[in-house]
Amino acid sequence: MLTRNRQLKDLLFRHAVRPLSAFAVLQVLFAAMPQSAWAQLAERDRPPNILLLVADDLGYSDVSCFGGEISTPHIDGLAKEGLRFTQFYNCGQDSPSRASLLTGLYPHQVGMGHSTTDYRQPGYRGNLSRECATLAELLGQNGYQTLMVGKWHLTPHVGPEGPKHTWPVNRGFERFYGTIHGAGSYFSPITLCRGSQFVDEQDPDFYYTERIAQHAGAFIEQASRSNKPFFLYVAFTAPHFPLHAPEGAIDRQRAKYAMGWDQVRKTRFQRMRAMGVLKPQWKPTPIDERVGAWELNQLRAWQQRRMEVYAAQVDLMDQAVGRVLESLRQMGAEQNTLVMFLSDNGASAEEIMPNWRGVGIPKETRAGRAVQLGNHPDFLPGAEDTYQSYGIAWANVSNTPFRRYKGDVHEGGISTPLIVRWPAVFRQGGRMTDQVGHVIDLVPTCLEVARIRYPSSYQGRNLLPLEGRSLAPSLRGATLAGTKLFWEHAGNRAVRDGKWKLVAQHRGAWELYDMEADRTETTDLAKQFPIVVQNMSESYAAWAKRCNVLPWRE
């Protein structure tokens, strides 16, 4: 009770500098409630705020509470106070995952089966369909304030005069600060917007990850003054390439990777097994065959620097998460806010060449220096005048212990660290669950905790039934009903049904894995269980037909 009294005094002091609204008075009173009273309040009276934090291209084991050596104390704090899902899945790529987590549908059902390129097929229009409702739209029409900061990436890159009908402010978000495009310079990002208007930030100290945290905090402070709950979607671009970070942040990672990728990956695996993230029977996968031994590499200083910058980007994202969470605490909104942190796909193995083509690559820095494009060892990455990625070897480390990468549907491409925290409801944090979940489950979860029924139509448009199911029972310690999951991206395809996973690369044959015995996908059982392969491949074909999935022709 002494701690509660201190919280009460702190809240009264904070609010003494401005008049107390009715809601602020309630916040002050509620802060003194015992935990059991908070849980009763969350279940009976006020729906929770919802804070969705999404990292970009973060590997499964990069954060330290999932086994990584990168210091992530704020994300680890969420895990300590909440629940870690060790078998949670995304869609394997930026745009498809973001479409699914906002709609509760598979990406092909809403036109986002591949990217923001229009392939002129219903499942691959590259533009979020109007024949669905976003979580912001559903919550907004039921009394929530709806706010977004960061990366959208659900519509084609357009100029100032292009169509904006699928921008955040036209898909349910009342306020938005961020980028429409998927990636770009952290010092001078393209398509930066406030609301529906492009803005040009002139601050010489601008760094996108920090600016996302700043605006998220401001949105929380403003929203907390209302008597309405809020939904805040914070979509980082970190640690997606380019490798950009202030030199001071890179300095904190110095020499951490001098041992090389072989040893870092081995140490991660051992740590993950000791933590219980991995089961004892799962074997480590061999390092990617395209990656040579560290001691034989002739570019070790440059290679080490690549991972140092990547780690700095993760570190800075963790600090940004900490500032967002601190804003919740300062506004007395921490207790009844459901927080979810995850990554949109596995780590990216893309190697940027000097002739690499992509939207948003600046030719010059803000000071007029030429930008050196490409993973060239003559230029150390990190500064604004470089544009590099960290490549296959370090991506293989980030996805420890799994095979493959972003864009693939083997475990390395689709596994995400999901952490969920809700202090008003969780009485014991620090737990892990190996129950299987997917980003299509986030919308039904949020609707259940907000006590909102999913409608059959929205603004006169019929809606498809949700594909996911609520994770809320697992948050209370219950067992979720089994579900069958499907993936397709660029011809890579997969089905997860109970302990079985059927998976194939583009133009490749089906492989079959027992995920209870072998989640690292080391032993293909397809020839031993042909009936299982046949049944699962038939279910994949039926799903593909139903969900606008087509054979990939590129």
Side-chain angles (χ1 to χ4, degrees):
M1 191 64 189
L2 181 61
T3 301
R4 293 286 179 186
N5 289 337
R6 286 174 178 165
Q7 291 176 346
L8 178 61
K9 290 178 182 179
D10 289 343
L11 277 166
L12 287 168
F13 177 78
R14 283 202 298 272
H15 286 292
V17 299
R18 61 177 184 272
L20 284 171
S21 66
F23 179 59
V25 172
L26 290 175
Q27 284 182 302
V28 173
L29 294 175
F30 291 162
M33 287 184 177
Q35 187 73 16
S36 60
W38 264 110
Q40 293 170 6
L41 175 70
E43 292 170 4
R44 288 202 316 258
D45 299 321
R46 177 181 166 83
N49 304 311
I50 298 170
L51 173 59
L52 179 58
L53 302 162
V54 179
D56 197 353
D57 289 10
L58 180 75
Y60 180 76
S61 62
D62 277 329
V63 295
S64 51
C65 59
F66 271 76
E69 69 292 324
I70 304 171
S71 177
T72 52
H74 304 292
I75 297 171
D76 296 350
L78 287 175
K80 185 177 180 180
E81 298 166 0
L83 177 66
R84 278 170 288 174
F85 285 77
T86 60
Q87 294 203 58
F88 198 78
Y89 290 111
N90 51 57
C91 297
Q93 190 81 4
D94 317 48
S95 299
S97 290
R98 291 160 197 270
S100 282
L101 67 85
L102 284 177
T103 65
L105 300 170
Y106 283 107
H108 308 78
Q109 293 176 289
V110 297
M112 297 301 304
H114 184 259
S115 66
T116 54
T117 298
D118 187 356
Y119 289 95
R120 301 190 180 280
Q121 295 292 336
Y124 306 87
R125 296 312 304 261
N127 213 353
L128 187 64
S129 170
R130 298 295 296 177
E131 304 307 313
C132 64
T134 68
L135 181 57
E137 289 170 329
L138 297 172
L139 294 175
Q141 73 172 3
N142 285 278
Y144 270 74
Q145 304 170 79
T146 55
L147 316 160
M148 180 183 170
V149 183
K151 169 178 172 174
W152 182 238
H153 207 205
L154 291 173
T155 192
H157 169 57
V158 295
E161 305 305 321
K164 302 178 181 180
H165 62 280
T166 51
W167 284 27
V169 291
N170 293 315
R171 294 312 306 261
F173 289 98
E174 299 167 24
R175 304 191 66 189
F176 168 65
Y177 174 87
T179 44
I180 300 301
H181 182 57
S185 171
Y186 284 74
F187 300 103
S188 183
I190 65 165
T191 68
L192 187 63
C193 297
R194 183 175 288 107
S196 61
Q197 301 300 317
F198 288 110
V199 295
D200 183 14
E201 296 280 6
Q202 298 297 323
D203 182 357
D205 296 322
F206 181 96
Y207 186 75
Y208 193 27
T209 304
E210 295 174 351
R211 195 56 55 93
I212 286 173
Q214 177 186 333
H215 279 79
F219 281 1
I220 288 172
E221 180 176 355
Q222 294 157 6
S224 297
R225 293 172 182 166
S226 169
N227 61 358
K228 298 166 59 178
F230 64 80
F231 166 49
L232 173 58
Y233 173 33
V234 180
F236 293 102
T237 58
H240 194 296
F241 63 77
L243 296 173
H244 278 169
E247 198 64 30
I250 302 171
D251 286 341
R252 291 194 292 273
Q253 311 300 324
R254 292 283 186 221
K256 186 180 290 186
Y257 298 98
M259 67 182 72
W261 42 65
D262 314 75
Q263 188 59 44
V264 175
R265 195 168 185 267
K266 180 180 179 180
T267 302
R268 279 198 187 190
F269 182 85
Q270 294 169 341
R271 191 183 300 118
M272 295 170 80
R273 180 176 277 180
M275 294 170 67
V277 173
L278 304 180
K279 293 183 179 180
Q281 64 267 33
W282 295 346
K283 301 175 184 177
T285 55
I287 201 161
D288 192 307
E289 60 186 13
R290 295 169 292 178
V291 177
W294 174 258
E295 62 270 16
L296 300 179
N297 193 281
Q298 301 299 309
L299 302 169
R300 289 193 294 274
W302 176 66
Q303 292 283 12
Q304 179 179 324
R305 170 75 174 202
R306 297 170 84 185
M307 189 61 190
E308 288 172 351
V309 181
Y310 178 87
Q313 291 175 269
V314 176
D315 169 29
L316 291 168
M317 179 186 65
D318 178 75
Q319 293 183 44
V321 168
R323 287 193 287 274
V324 175
L325 298 177
E326 179 61 25
S327 296
L328 286 178
R329 285 189 283 270
Q330 290 179 357
M331 298 309 299
E334 178 182 40
Q335 288 293 315
N336 202 29
T337 297
L338 172 66
V339 181
M340 294 176 284
F341 172 87
L342 70 153
S343 179
D344 63 349
N345 47 248
S348 171
E350 293 171 88
E351 293 280 4
I352 299 178
M353 297 295 105
N355 61 349
W356 192 77
R357 294 184 179 182
V359 177
I361 303 172
K363 297 184 182 303
E364 295 182 341
T365 67
R366 291 165 295 179
R369 298 189 306 275
V371 172
Q372 302 295 328
L373 171 64
N375 294 340
H376 198 294
D378 286 349
F379 304 99
L380 293 179
E384 185 182 358
D385 60 359
T386 64
Y387 202 101
Q388 298 190 18
S389 65
Y390 75 157
I392 296 170
W394 292 117
N396 199 203
V397 169
S398 286
N399 285 338
T400 303
F402 301 129
R403 296 168 51 197
R404 308 303 298 171
Y405 312 95
K406 169 185 177 180
D408 297 303
V409 294
H410 285 77
E411 292 294 284
I414 59 176
S415 299
T416 185
L418 173 68
I419 305 169
V420 182
R421 186 192 77 175
W422 188 3
V425 171
F426 290 170
R427 292 169 177 81
Q428 291 184 334
R431 294 187 296 119
M432 286 190 287
T433 178
D434 62 1
Q435 297 194 74
V436 176
H438 188 282
V439 288
I440 55 175
D441 298 330
L442 298 185
V443 167
T445 302
C446 292
L447 293 182
E448 179 172 342
V449 302
R451 299 188 292 279
I452 295 170
R453 185 182 298 275
Y454 182 73
S456 59
S457 63
Y458 177 78
Q459 294 185 347
R461 305 189 302 273
N462 291 332
L463 298 179
L464 292 170
L466 290 173
E467 294 285 340
R469 86 289 203 225
S470 174
L471 301 173
S474 67
L475 307 185
R476 298 188 292 265
T479 300
L480 295 170
T483 185
K484 194 178 292 187
L485 299 171
F486 300 89
W487 292 265
E488 188 278 336
H489 182 76
N492 303 309
R493 54 208 187 278
V495 185
R496 174 83 192 256
D497 187 4
K499 75 171 188 175
W500 294 113
K501 181 181 176 186
L502 190 70
V503 60
Q505 291 183 257
H506 181 36
R507 296 194 179 96
W510 286 115
E511 305 162 19
L512 181 68
Y513 298 99
D514 179 343
M515 303 302 279
E516 291 179 359
D518 179 30
R519 191 181 169 204
T520 49
E521 301 172 317
T522 61
T523 305
D524 181 6
L525 303 175
K527 292 183 179 179
Q528 293 177 239
F529 297 94
I531 300 302
V532 175
V533 173
Q534 179 180 342
N535 291 339
M536 293 183 72
S537 63
E538 288 175 354
S539 67
Y540 174 85
W543 168 80
K545 183 177 181 180
R546 179 174 64 83
C547 292
N548 303 321
V549 178
L550 297 175
W552 191 249
R553 300 187 182 281
E554 290 193 359

